Amino acid sequence: MSDREMEAKLLELDRLLNDPEVQMDPHRVWSLLQEISGAHKRPAPRAA
């Protein structure tokens, strides 16, 4: 996931959790959290 995609997901998550005018969608919140947490699980570089 690119930095731009990560930033967009974080902004959407922030909006869902903190904007009183946006209806809470728990399924979308959990989906975003899963995508964000999976983005940090990159394989370790292999030694040459």
Side-chain angles (χ1 to χ4, degrees), residues 8-26:
K9 290 182 187 300
L10 288 171
L11 286 172
E12 182 180 358
L13 181 61
D14 182 64
R15 185 176 51 83
L16 286 168
L17 294 173
N18 297 313
D19 189 342
E21 296 180 11
V22 175
Q23 182 176 355
M24 172 61 80
D25 181 357

Side-chain angles (χ1 to χ4, degrees), residues 5-45:
E5 291 171 323
M6 175 66 84
E7 184 177 340
K9 290 182 187 300
L10 288 171
L11 286 172
E12 182 180 358
L13 181 61
D14 182 64
R15 185 176 51 83
L16 286 168
L17 294 173
N18 297 313
D19 189 342
E21 296 180 11
V22 175
Q23 182 176 355
M24 172 61 80
D25 181 357
H27 178 72
R28 183 63 183 148
V29 170
W30 284 112
S31 177
L32 284 166
L33 288 171
Q34 183 179 17
E35 291 175 33
I36 291 167
S37 68
H40 292 289
K41 296 180 182 177
R42 294 182 182 143

